[in-house]
Amino acid sequence: VQLVESGGGLAQAGGSLRLSCAASGFTFHDYNDYVIGWFRQAPGKAREGVSFISTKDGTSDYAVFVQGRFTISKDDVRKTVYLQMDNLKPEDTAIYYCAAVWGSEIVPNAGPSYYDHWGQGTQVTVSS
């Protein structure tokens, strides 16, 4: 499975950005049996989970610090997962990574080691 992120950049506090994660290469398991989502990593900090979605049924999960501000969605035709980020804060500045794991149910608070496939990351910078 290959994951390619796009959509990062610079935004002002209170602004918005939309990240995209295009998935491909579903050779052994069908696209509809994955959990795909986003981690982020700020300088000097551990990688942390942000939001995840089940490609099977669209159920989603959010970290507490983005609830009400970020929205995850998917386009099954394009096999792409989106992260709409609104009301951005300077503390949202990080490299955002798309990640995927085979399995239709989201495991809340699963760490990075749970996910098998990763994108290269996209930088998000929020200025105050």
Side-chain angles (χ1 to χ4, degrees), residues 40 66 69-70 87-94 96 124 126:
R40 71 185 188 185
V66 301
R69 300 190 299 122
F70 290 10
N87 191 20
L88 283 162
K89 303 176 180 181
E91 50 264 42
D92 294 319
T93 295
Y96 283 70
V124 170
V126 183

Side-chain angles (χ1 to χ4, degrees), residues 2-124:
Q2 290 79 48
L3 305 172
V4 179
E5 304 102 331
S6 60
L10 177 65
Q12 291 187 334
S16 300
L17 286 172
R18 189 177 81 155
L19 305 183
S20 300
C21 174
S24 62
F26 294 95
T27 302
F28 298 105
H29 304 293
D30 189 82
Y31 161 82
N32 291 315
D33 289 323
Y34 278 80
V35 170
I36 300 177
W38 298 89
F39 283 81
R40 71 185 188 185
Q41 189 166 18
K45 294 189 176 181
R47 193 168 295 191
E48 59 183 1
V50 176
S51 183
F52 302 90
I53 190 166
S54 167
T55 58
K56 181 175 183 178
D57 59 13
T59 56
S60 59
D61 187 52
Y62 296 90
V64 170
F65 50 80
V66 301
Q67 285 181 353
R69 300 190 299 122
F70 290 10
T71 304
I72 194 168
S73 62
K74 62 184 178 74
D75 182 329
D76 294 336
V77 174
R78 292 181 170 82
K79 293 184 171 60
T80 298
V81 171
Y82 302 99
L83 186 67
Q84 177 67 41
M85 305 186 295
D86 298 318
N87 191 20
L88 283 162
K89 303 176 180 181
E91 50 264 42
D92 294 319
T93 295
I95 298 175
Y96 283 70
Y97 296 92
C98 184
V101 63
W102 178 54
S104 59
E105 294 189 8
I106 298 170
V107 175
N109 301 316
S113 62
Y114 181 74
Y115 289 81
D116 298 319
H117 310 284
W118 291 86
Q120 79 285 357
T122 186
Q123 177 70 47
V124 170

